[in-house]
Every structure is written in structure tokens, then in C-alpha cells.
Amino acid sequence: MENSNEFEQREDQSAYETEQPVLYEVKDGVAIVTMNRPTFNNAQNGQMTYALDQAFRQAVDDDEVKTILLKGAGKHFSAGHDIGTPGRDINKPMDRVNLWWDHTNKPGGEFLYVREQEAYLNMCRRWRDIPKPTIAVVQGACIAGGLMLAWVCDLIVASEDAFFQDPVVRMGIPGVEYFAHPYELNPRIAKEFLFLGGRMPAQRAYEMGMVNRIVPRDQLCDQAMEMALTIAKQPRLALALTKQAINHIEDLQGKRTGMEAAFAWHHFAHSHSELISGDRIGGYDARAMVKANKEGQ
């Protein structure tokens, strides 16, 4: 039997720029959860992931909270997974909330497979199943891993200047881990979205049914709050059961099982990239991805 102790734990060299990667407040029965890494366009590291989970848990446990808003501080909602800031903590053990083992001392493809089961796929599923209605409030960029944060929410309200993008095919990867593309978009549009890797403006996302409403940026928070307050007038259990019913229909249509297959292909792609190039994400760091995104927009 393989002994994981044969493999040394990878050295963690991350340096966090803030001790509060997520802010939390409650107003009139609405929990406002704000991603708070504006310096890095709210790139999602492990610190932020687990802080989000704690904030969502706090909102669920508070009987006064009826609705949850998810926001991003600063210019952009989220630039996606952290692949290049000083706070990239991929080698740091975390206090896990799902029943997967620690990834940091595991070899080969197991390292990333286990980490992304815990921190991405299973965490997103956990948040999708929150029994209280959730609204993503999206301004500016919502890229790759940022899509996962918006897609787990029940509603998406976007500013006029918002855009959506999943450019990871250029890394050799078939889309982000929480593979909801064919459910958020028409399948043919989902292929275009991934094959071309360009920006989808808020207006087209609205036309595809991915976004519920588009509003001027200076009205974004107010209109999202108005929606949340309206929803909060409904009975708590009725809202939870309605959400369960619709999510269940999606799963009957194959969303969960399809996502399992896509996640396996995703990790085959990571391992393939590492074998042929020595890098799991095709040699792209954050700076290279930003440059390529701008050129390909």
C-alpha cells in the first residue's frame, strides 16, 4: 500500500495581503458577503475559499437572514482562481470541510485532484445547496473561477460593464472545475464560449439566460438589495423547498453526473500538461493569462 509519508509536504511561501479576505454584514434580513481582495481583483485563494464558506455558514445559521448577496470589492467581481499573487496558498494545509484528505504531501496528479475536489468542486456544490436564496452581484470581470462563484448563486445581477469569460482551454483544460457551462448557456453557445475563450458581455449573457438583470453600475448594489428584500418577504421553508425542487430537476437532467465526468477530464488535462510541458496549467501564470485575455478579447 502506498504510504503518503514518503512524499514531503510542499513548502508554503504564501503571504496574505489581508486578514479579512471576506467581509460579512447583515442588513434588514439580508446577509452581504463581500470578497475582499480588490488589489488582486478578488482572485480566489484557499484563504478566501474557506472564509466564504464560513460566511455562508454564518448566514445559514442566522434565522434572521432570509437572503444572501455575494459581492466583490473593487473594480471586478472576480478574476478567478489565484494562479500568481503572493497569497497563492496552494501548498498550505487547510481546515477542510469536505471529507477528502490533505493534498499537500501527495504525489503526481493526486495533489491537484484532491485539492480541487475539496476546494472547488465540492465547495461549489456545497454552496449551490445553501437552503437560502443567493444572489451574485457582478461588476467588471467574472473570469474562470469567478464563474463558479457566480454560477452557484440562484440569481445573477450584473452591471452594464460586466463580462464573463472562461479562457482556460488555452491552458489545455476543458473549462473550470464546476462545469455548469451547458446549463448556464445553450450547448452550442457554451462551445463557442470555451473554444474562443473571449469575453461575453453582460447583454449577451442576459440573452442566453445566464444573467437575470442588467443595471447601471451605480445602481447595481441598490437593485440587488431591492431584489433580496423582496425575496426575504417570502416564507423561509417555501423558499428552501422551491430551490431544492429546481436544483433537483437540474440534477435529474444530468448536471451532477455530467460535472463528475468533466472534472475527471479536467484532471486528465492537468496531468497531460504536466507530462508534456512540466507545468499543470500549460505554462500560464496570472500575468501571462491577463495578457492573453486582453489580446483575445
Side-chain angles (χ1 to χ4, degrees), residues 44-54 56-57 81 94-100 114-130 148-149 152 177-178 256 259 263:
Q44 182 191 1
N45 60 1
Q47 180 202 32
M48 174 182 283
T49 298
Y50 288 92
L52 280 171
D53 192 69
Q54 290 171 6
F56 288 140
R57 167 58 69 185
H81 295 149
M94 297 286 176
D95 292 329
R96 301 177 306 281
V97 298
N98 298 295
L99 293 177
W100 276 89
V114 169
R115 197 249 183 182
E116 293 187 355
Q117 280 276 4
E118 160 71 16
Y120 295 156
L121 181 61
N122 287 335
M123 200 73 86
C124 284
R125 287 175 170 173
R126 178 181 173 91
W127 298 337
R128 175 185 178 243
D129 291 338
I130 291 171
M148 297 164 55
L149 299 173
V152 298
E177 295 84 352
Y178 183 81
R256 185 178 182 89
M259 205 172 280
F263 187 77

Short mmCIF file of all heavy atoms in Angstrom, two decimals, residues 44-54 56-57 81 94-100 114-130 148-149 152 177-178 256 259 263:
data_model
loop_
_atom_site.label_atom_id
_atom_site.label_comp_id
_atom_site.label_asym_id
_atom_site.label_seq_id
_atom_site.Cartn_x
_atom_site.Cartn_y
_atom_site.Cartn_z
N GLN A 44 -9.31 34.06 -6.21
CA GLN A 44 -9.74 33.14 -5.16
C GLN A 44 -8.60 32.22 -4.74
O GLN A 44 -8.22 31.31 -5.46
CB GLN A 44 -10.92 32.30 -5.68
CG GLN A 44 -11.48 31.33 -4.66
CD GLN A 44 -12.45 30.34 -5.29
OE1 GLN A 44 -12.70 30.38 -6.49
NE2 GLN A 44 -13.00 29.46 -4.48
N ASN A 45 -8.06 32.46 -3.55
CA ASN A 45 -7.09 31.54 -2.95
C ASN A 45 -7.78 30.71 -1.88
O ASN A 45 -8.98 30.83 -1.64
CB ASN A 45 -5.88 32.30 -2.40
CG ASN A 45 -6.26 33.30 -1.32
OD1 ASN A 45 -7.42 33.44 -0.95
ND2 ASN A 45 -5.27 34.01 -0.81
N GLY A 46 -7.03 29.83 -1.24
CA GLY A 46 -7.62 28.99 -0.21
C GLY A 46 -8.15 29.80 0.96
O GLY A 46 -9.21 29.49 1.51
N GLN A 47 -7.42 30.83 1.35
CA GLN A 47 -7.86 31.69 2.45
C GLN A 47 -9.25 32.24 2.17
O GLN A 47 -10.15 32.21 3.03
CB GLN A 47 -6.86 32.82 2.64
CG GLN A 47 -7.20 33.78 3.77
CD GLN A 47 -6.52 35.14 3.61
OE1 GLN A 47 -6.30 35.59 2.48
NE2 GLN A 47 -6.20 35.77 4.72
N MET A 48 -9.47 32.72 0.95
CA MET A 48 -10.77 33.28 0.60
C MET A 48 -11.85 32.19 0.53
O MET A 48 -12.98 32.38 0.99
CB MET A 48 -10.71 34.02 -0.74
CG MET A 48 -12.07 34.49 -1.24
SD MET A 48 -12.01 35.31 -2.85
CE MET A 48 -11.36 36.90 -2.37
N THR A 49 -11.49 31.04 -0.04
CA THR A 49 -12.46 29.96 -0.19
C THR A 49 -13.06 29.56 1.15
O THR A 49 -14.28 29.46 1.29
CB THR A 49 -11.79 28.73 -0.83
OG1 THR A 49 -11.34 29.09 -2.14
CG2 THR A 49 -12.76 27.57 -0.93
N TYR A 50 -12.21 29.36 2.13
CA TYR A 50 -12.71 28.92 3.44
C TYR A 50 -13.38 30.06 4.20
O TYR A 50 -14.32 29.82 4.98
CB TYR A 50 -11.58 28.28 4.23
CG TYR A 50 -11.22 26.93 3.66
CD1 TYR A 50 -10.22 26.80 2.72
CD2 TYR A 50 -11.93 25.79 4.02
CE1 TYR A 50 -9.91 25.57 2.15
CE2 TYR A 50 -11.64 24.55 3.46
CZ TYR A 50 -10.63 24.45 2.52
OH TYR A 50 -10.35 23.23 1.96
N ALA A 51 -12.97 31.28 3.95
CA ALA A 51 -13.66 32.42 4.55
C ALA A 51 -15.06 32.58 3.96
O ALA A 51 -16.01 32.92 4.68
CB ALA A 51 -12.85 33.70 4.35
N LEU A 52 -15.19 32.34 2.66
CA LEU A 52 -16.52 32.35 2.05
C LEU A 52 -17.41 31.28 2.67
O LEU A 52 -18.58 31.53 2.99
CB LEU A 52 -16.41 32.10 0.54
CG LEU A 52 -16.02 33.28 -0.34
CD1 LEU A 52 -15.74 32.81 -1.77
CD2 LEU A 52 -17.11 34.34 -0.35
N ASP A 53 -16.85 30.09 2.85
CA ASP A 53 -17.65 29.01 3.43
C ASP A 53 -18.11 29.38 4.84
O ASP A 53 -19.27 29.12 5.21
CB ASP A 53 -16.82 27.73 3.46
CG ASP A 53 -17.67 26.52 3.77
OD1 ASP A 53 -18.50 26.14 2.93
OD2 ASP A 53 -17.52 25.95 4.88
N GLN A 54 -17.24 29.99 5.63
CA GLN A 54 -17.61 30.39 6.98
C GLN A 54 -18.70 31.46 6.96
O GLN A 54 -19.64 31.43 7.77
CB GLN A 54 -16.37 30.91 7.72
CG GLN A 54 -15.36 29.84 8.05
CD GLN A 54 -14.05 30.41 8.58
OE1 GLN A 54 -13.94 31.61 8.83
NE2 GLN A 54 -13.06 29.55 8.76
N PHE A 56 -20.95 31.95 4.54
CA PHE A 56 -22.21 31.32 4.13
C PHE A 56 -22.81 30.52 5.29
O PHE A 56 -24.02 30.52 5.49
CB PHE A 56 -21.98 30.42 2.92
CG PHE A 56 -21.72 31.17 1.64
CD1 PHE A 56 -20.78 30.71 0.74
CD2 PHE A 56 -22.43 32.32 1.32
CE1 PHE A 56 -20.54 31.39 -0.45
CE2 PHE A 56 -22.19 33.01 0.13
CZ PHE A 56 -21.25 32.54 -0.76
N ARG A 57 -21.97 29.82 6.03
CA ARG A 57 -22.46 29.07 7.19
C ARG A 57 -23.08 30.01 8.22
O ARG A 57 -24.13 29.73 8.79
CB ARG A 57 -21.30 28.28 7.82
CG ARG A 57 -21.58 27.71 9.21
CD ARG A 57 -22.78 26.79 9.23
NE ARG A 57 -22.53 25.55 8.52
CZ ARG A 57 -23.46 24.61 8.33
NH1 ARG A 57 -24.70 24.81 8.77
NH2 ARG A 57 -23.17 23.50 7.69
N HIS A 81 -9.46 31.84 -10.14
CA HIS A 81 -8.57 31.20 -9.18
C HIS A 81 -7.23 31.93 -9.13
O HIS A 81 -6.73 32.43 -10.13
CB HIS A 81 -8.34 29.74 -9.57
CG HIS A 81 -9.59 28.92 -9.50
ND1 HIS A 81 -9.82 27.85 -10.33
CD2 HIS A 81 -10.68 29.01 -8.71
CE1 HIS A 81 -11.00 27.33 -10.06
NE2 HIS A 81 -11.54 28.01 -9.09
N MET A 94 -5.23 23.22 4.85
CA MET A 94 -6.38 23.98 5.32
C MET A 94 -7.24 23.11 6.25
O MET A 94 -7.15 21.88 6.21
CB MET A 94 -7.23 24.45 4.13
CG MET A 94 -6.51 25.39 3.18
SD MET A 94 -6.33 27.04 3.90
CE MET A 94 -5.36 27.85 2.61
N ASP A 95 -8.07 23.76 7.04
CA ASP A 95 -9.04 23.03 7.87
C ASP A 95 -10.21 22.65 6.97
O ASP A 95 -11.16 23.41 6.79
CB ASP A 95 -9.51 23.89 9.04
CG ASP A 95 -8.39 24.14 10.04
OD1 ASP A 95 -7.52 23.26 10.19
OD2 ASP A 95 -8.41 25.21 10.67
N ARG A 96 -10.13 21.46 6.39
CA ARG A 96 -11.06 21.05 5.34
C ARG A 96 -12.47 20.85 5.88
O ARG A 96 -12.66 20.45 7.02
CB ARG A 96 -10.54 19.76 4.69
CG ARG A 96 -9.13 19.94 4.09
CD ARG A 96 -8.56 18.66 3.52
NE ARG A 96 -8.53 17.55 4.45
CZ ARG A 96 -7.62 17.39 5.40
NH1 ARG A 96 -6.66 18.31 5.56
NH2 ARG A 96 -7.65 16.36 6.20
N VAL A 97 -13.46 21.12 5.03
CA VAL A 97 -14.86 20.96 5.42
C VAL A 97 -15.53 19.80 4.72
O VAL A 97 -16.60 19.36 5.12
CB VAL A 97 -15.67 22.26 5.16
CG1 VAL A 97 -15.11 23.40 5.98
CG2 VAL A 97 -15.68 22.62 3.69
N ASN A 98 -14.91 19.28 3.65
CA ASN A 98 -15.40 18.09 2.97
C ASN A 98 -14.49 16.91 3.32
O ASN A 98 -13.38 17.09 3.79
CB ASN A 98 -15.42 18.32 1.44
CG ASN A 98 -16.36 19.44 1.06
OD1 ASN A 98 -17.57 19.36 1.25
ND2 ASN A 98 -15.81 20.52 0.51
N LEU A 99 -14.97 15.71 3.09
CA LEU A 99 -14.24 14.53 3.57
C LEU A 99 -13.23 14.01 2.55
O LEU A 99 -13.28 12.87 2.09
CB LEU A 99 -15.25 13.43 3.95
CG LEU A 99 -16.11 13.76 5.17
CD1 LEU A 99 -17.12 12.66 5.43
CD2 LEU A 99 -15.24 13.99 6.40
N TRP A 100 -12.28 14.89 2.21
CA TRP A 100 -11.11 14.50 1.43
C TRP A 100 -9.88 14.75 2.29
O TRP A 100 -9.85 15.66 3.12
CB TRP A 100 -11.02 15.29 0.12
CG TRP A 100 -11.86 14.69 -0.96
CD1 TRP A 100 -13.17 14.96 -1.23
CD2 TRP A 100 -11.45 13.68 -1.90
NE1 TRP A 100 -13.61 14.19 -2.29
CE2 TRP A 100 -12.58 13.40 -2.72
CE3 TRP A 100 -10.27 13.00 -2.13
CZ2 TRP A 100 -12.55 12.45 -3.74
CZ3 TRP A 100 -10.22 12.07 -3.15
CH2 TRP A 100 -11.35 11.80 -3.95
N VAL A 114 -7.06 16.01 -5.49
CA VAL A 114 -7.63 16.06 -4.15
C VAL A 114 -7.92 17.50 -3.74
O VAL A 114 -8.98 17.81 -3.18
CB VAL A 114 -6.68 15.38 -3.14
CG1 VAL A 114 -7.11 15.65 -1.70
CG2 VAL A 114 -6.61 13.90 -3.41
N ARG A 115 -6.98 18.39 -4.04
CA ARG A 115 -7.17 19.79 -3.65
C ARG A 115 -8.40 20.39 -4.33
O ARG A 115 -9.20 21.09 -3.70
CB ARG A 115 -5.92 20.59 -4.03
CG ARG A 115 -5.86 21.94 -3.33
CD ARG A 115 -6.04 23.08 -4.24
NE ARG A 115 -5.90 24.36 -3.52
CZ ARG A 115 -6.05 25.54 -4.07
NH1 ARG A 115 -6.34 25.63 -5.35
NH2 ARG A 115 -5.92 26.63 -3.36
N GLU A 116 -8.60 20.09 -5.60
CA GLU A 116 -9.72 20.69 -6.33
C GLU A 116 -11.04 19.99 -6.04
O GLU A 116 -12.10 20.60 -6.18
CB GLU A 116 -9.39 20.73 -7.82
CG GLU A 116 -8.23 21.69 -8.10
CD GLU A 116 -7.96 21.92 -9.57
OE1 GLU A 116 -8.61 21.27 -10.42
OE2 GLU A 116 -7.10 22.78 -9.87
N GLN A 117 -11.00 18.73 -5.62
CA GLN A 117 -12.22 18.10 -5.12
C GLN A 117 -12.72 18.85 -3.89
O GLN A 117 -13.90 19.14 -3.76
CB GLN A 117 -11.94 16.63 -4.73
CG GLN A 117 -11.92 15.65 -5.87
CD GLN A 117 -13.30 15.17 -6.27
OE1 GLN A 117 -14.32 15.61 -5.75
NE2 GLN A 117 -13.34 14.25 -7.21
N GLU A 118 -11.79 19.13 -3.00
CA GLU A 118 -12.15 19.79 -1.74
C GLU A 118 -12.52 21.25 -1.95
O GLU A 118 -13.61 21.69 -1.57
CB GLU A 118 -10.96 19.68 -0.76
CG GLU A 118 -10.93 20.68 0.38
CD GLU A 118 -11.98 20.45 1.45
OE1 GLU A 118 -12.56 19.36 1.49
OE2 GLU A 118 -12.22 21.37 2.25
N ALA A 119 -11.61 22.01 -2.56
CA ALA A 119 -11.73 23.46 -2.56
C ALA A 119 -12.57 24.03 -3.68
O ALA A 119 -13.03 25.17 -3.59
CB ALA A 119 -10.34 24.10 -2.60
N TYR A 120 -12.77 23.28 -4.75
CA TYR A 120 -13.50 23.82 -5.89
C TYR A 120 -14.80 23.06 -6.14
O TYR A 120 -15.89 23.57 -5.89
CB TYR A 120 -12.63 23.81 -7.15
CG TYR A 120 -11.43 24.72 -7.08
CD1 TYR A 120 -10.31 24.48 -7.86
CD2 TYR A 120 -11.39 25.81 -6.21
CE1 TYR A 120 -9.20 25.32 -7.80
CE2 TYR A 120 -10.28 26.64 -6.15
CZ TYR A 120 -9.19 26.38 -6.94
OH TYR A 120 -8.10 27.21 -6.88
N LEU A 121 -14.72 21.82 -6.61
CA LEU A 121 -15.94 21.10 -6.99
C LEU A 121 -16.88 20.90 -5.81
O LEU A 121 -18.05 21.32 -5.86
CB LEU A 121 -15.58 19.74 -7.61
CG LEU A 121 -16.77 18.90 -8.07
CD1 LEU A 121 -17.57 19.63 -9.14
CD2 LEU A 121 -16.31 17.55 -8.59
N ASN A 122 -16.39 20.31 -4.73
CA ASN A 122 -17.27 20.02 -3.61
C ASN A 122 -17.69 21.28 -2.86
O ASN A 122 -18.81 21.35 -2.34
CB ASN A 122 -16.61 19.02 -2.66
CG ASN A 122 -16.57 17.63 -3.24
OD1 ASN A 122 -17.39 17.28 -4.07
ND2 ASN A 122 -15.62 16.82 -2.80
N MET A 123 -16.81 22.27 -2.81
CA MET A 123 -17.18 23.51 -2.14
C MET A 123 -18.28 24.22 -2.92
O MET A 123 -19.25 24.73 -2.34
CB MET A 123 -15.96 24.43 -1.99
CG MET A 123 -16.14 25.49 -0.92
SD MET A 123 -16.03 24.82 0.76
CE MET A 123 -14.27 24.86 1.04
N CYS A 124 -18.16 24.24 -4.24
CA CYS A 124 -19.20 24.88 -5.05
C CYS A 124 -20.54 24.16 -4.92
O CYS A 124 -21.60 24.78 -4.83
CB CYS A 124 -18.77 24.94 -6.51
SG CYS A 124 -17.56 26.22 -6.85
N ARG A 125 -20.50 22.83 -4.91
CA ARG A 125 -21.74 22.09 -4.72
C ARG A 125 -22.35 22.38 -3.36
O ARG A 125 -23.58 22.48 -3.22
CB ARG A 125 -21.46 20.59 -4.86
CG ARG A 125 -21.20 20.15 -6.29
CD ARG A 125 -20.82 18.70 -6.31
NE ARG A 125 -20.79 18.17 -7.66
CZ ARG A 125 -20.36 16.97 -7.98
NH1 ARG A 125 -19.91 16.15 -7.02
NH2 ARG A 125 -20.38 16.55 -9.22
N ARG A 126 -21.51 22.50 -2.37
CA ARG A 126 -21.96 22.82 -1.01
C ARG A 126 -22.69 24.17 -1.02
O ARG A 126 -23.77 24.31 -0.42
CB ARG A 126 -20.72 22.86 -0.12
CG ARG A 126 -20.89 23.22 1.33
CD ARG A 126 -19.50 23.21 1.97
NE ARG A 126 -19.48 23.69 3.33
CZ ARG A 126 -19.63 22.92 4.39
NH1 ARG A 126 -19.84 21.63 4.25
NH2 ARG A 126 -19.57 23.43 5.61
N TRP A 127 -22.12 25.15 -1.72
CA TRP A 127 -22.72 26.48 -1.75
C TRP A 127 -23.99 26.50 -2.61
O TRP A 127 -24.94 27.21 -2.31
CB TRP A 127 -21.71 27.49 -2.27
CG TRP A 127 -20.50 27.61 -1.39
CD1 TRP A 127 -20.40 27.29 -0.05
CD2 TRP A 127 -19.20 28.07 -1.77
NE1 TRP A 127 -19.13 27.52 0.40
CE2 TRP A 127 -18.37 28.00 -0.62
CE3 TRP A 127 -18.66 28.54 -2.97
CZ2 TRP A 127 -17.03 28.39 -0.64
CZ3 TRP A 127 -17.32 28.91 -2.99
CH2 TRP A 127 -16.53 28.84 -1.84
N ARG A 128 -24.01 25.73 -3.70
CA ARG A 128 -25.23 25.65 -4.52
C ARG A 128 -26.41 25.15 -3.69
O ARG A 128 -27.55 25.55 -3.92
CB ARG A 128 -24.98 24.72 -5.70
CG ARG A 128 -26.23 24.47 -6.56
CD ARG A 128 -25.95 23.45 -7.63
NE ARG A 128 -27.12 23.16 -8.43
CZ ARG A 128 -27.71 21.98 -8.50
NH1 ARG A 128 -27.25 20.95 -7.80
NH2 ARG A 128 -28.78 21.80 -9.28
N ASP A 129 -26.13 24.27 -2.72
CA ASP A 129 -27.19 23.67 -1.92
C ASP A 129 -27.56 24.48 -0.70
O ASP A 129 -28.37 24.02 0.12
CB ASP A 129 -26.77 22.25 -1.50
CG ASP A 129 -26.73 21.28 -2.67
OD1 ASP A 129 -27.40 21.57 -3.69
OD2 ASP A 129 -26.03 20.26 -2.58
N ILE A 130 -27.00 25.67 -0.52
CA ILE A 130 -27.42 26.53 0.58
C ILE A 130 -28.94 26.69 0.51
O ILE A 130 -29.48 27.04 -0.55
CB ILE A 130 -26.74 27.92 0.48
CG1 ILE A 130 -25.24 27.80 0.77
CG2 ILE A 130 -27.38 28.92 1.43
CD1 ILE A 130 -24.45 29.07 0.47
N MET A 148 -17.58 30.19 -11.35
CA MET A 148 -18.05 29.21 -10.39
C MET A 148 -18.70 29.88 -9.19
O MET A 148 -19.70 29.37 -8.66
CB MET A 148 -16.88 28.33 -9.95
CG MET A 148 -16.29 27.51 -11.10
SD MET A 148 -14.65 26.80 -10.76
CE MET A 148 -14.94 25.89 -9.26
N LEU A 149 -18.15 30.99 -8.77
CA LEU A 149 -18.71 31.71 -7.63
C LEU A 149 -20.06 32.32 -7.96
O LEU A 149 -20.97 32.36 -7.12
CB LEU A 149 -17.73 32.80 -7.17
CG LEU A 149 -16.36 32.29 -6.72
CD1 LEU A 149 -15.43 33.46 -6.47
CD2 LEU A 149 -16.47 31.41 -5.49
N VAL A 152 -22.98 29.31 -8.74
CA VAL A 152 -23.61 28.59 -7.64
C VAL A 152 -24.76 29.39 -7.03
O VAL A 152 -25.56 28.84 -6.28
CB VAL A 152 -22.60 28.23 -6.53
CG1 VAL A 152 -21.52 27.31 -7.05
CG2 VAL A 152 -21.99 29.46 -5.88
N GLU A 177 -13.59 23.78 -13.06
CA GLU A 177 -13.92 22.53 -12.37
C GLU A 177 -15.43 22.33 -12.17
O GLU A 177 -15.94 21.22 -12.30
CB GLU A 177 -13.21 22.48 -11.01
CG GLU A 177 -11.70 22.44 -11.09
CD GLU A 177 -11.06 23.81 -11.23
OE1 GLU A 177 -11.79 24.82 -11.42
OE2 GLU A 177 -9.82 23.89 -11.15
N TYR A 178 -16.12 23.38 -11.80
CA TYR A 178 -17.57 23.30 -11.62
C TYR A 178 -18.18 23.53 -13.01
O TYR A 178 -18.53 24.64 -13.39
CB TYR A 178 -18.02 24.37 -10.61
CG TYR A 178 -19.50 24.36 -10.28
CD1 TYR A 178 -20.01 23.47 -9.35
CD2 TYR A 178 -20.36 25.27 -10.88
CE1 TYR A 178 -21.37 23.47 -9.04
CE2 TYR A 178 -21.71 25.29 -10.57
CZ TYR A 178 -22.21 24.38 -9.65
OH TYR A 178 -23.56 24.40 -9.34
N ARG A 256 -25.25 16.97 -12.28
CA ARG A 256 -24.25 16.46 -11.34
C ARG A 256 -23.38 15.38 -11.98
O ARG A 256 -22.15 15.42 -11.86
CB ARG A 256 -24.94 15.92 -10.08
CG ARG A 256 -23.95 15.49 -9.01
CD ARG A 256 -24.64 15.00 -7.75
NE ARG A 256 -23.66 14.65 -6.74
CZ ARG A 256 -23.15 15.45 -5.83
NH1 ARG A 256 -23.51 16.72 -5.80
NH2 ARG A 256 -22.27 15.03 -4.95
N MET A 259 -21.03 16.81 -14.52
CA MET A 259 -19.96 17.54 -13.87
C MET A 259 -18.86 16.60 -13.38
O MET A 259 -17.67 16.91 -13.43
CB MET A 259 -20.53 18.36 -12.71
CG MET A 259 -19.74 19.57 -12.32
SD MET A 259 -20.63 20.57 -11.11
CE MET A 259 -21.76 21.46 -12.19
N PHE A 263 -15.06 16.86 -14.58
CA PHE A 263 -14.00 17.03 -13.60
C PHE A 263 -12.88 16.02 -13.84
O PHE A 263 -11.69 16.35 -13.74
CB PHE A 263 -14.57 16.87 -12.19
CG PHE A 263 -13.59 17.20 -11.09
CD1 PHE A 263 -13.30 18.51 -10.76
CD2 PHE A 263 -12.96 16.18 -10.37
CE1 PHE A 263 -12.40 18.81 -9.74
CE2 PHE A 263 -12.07 16.47 -9.35
CZ PHE A 263 -11.78 17.79 -9.04
#
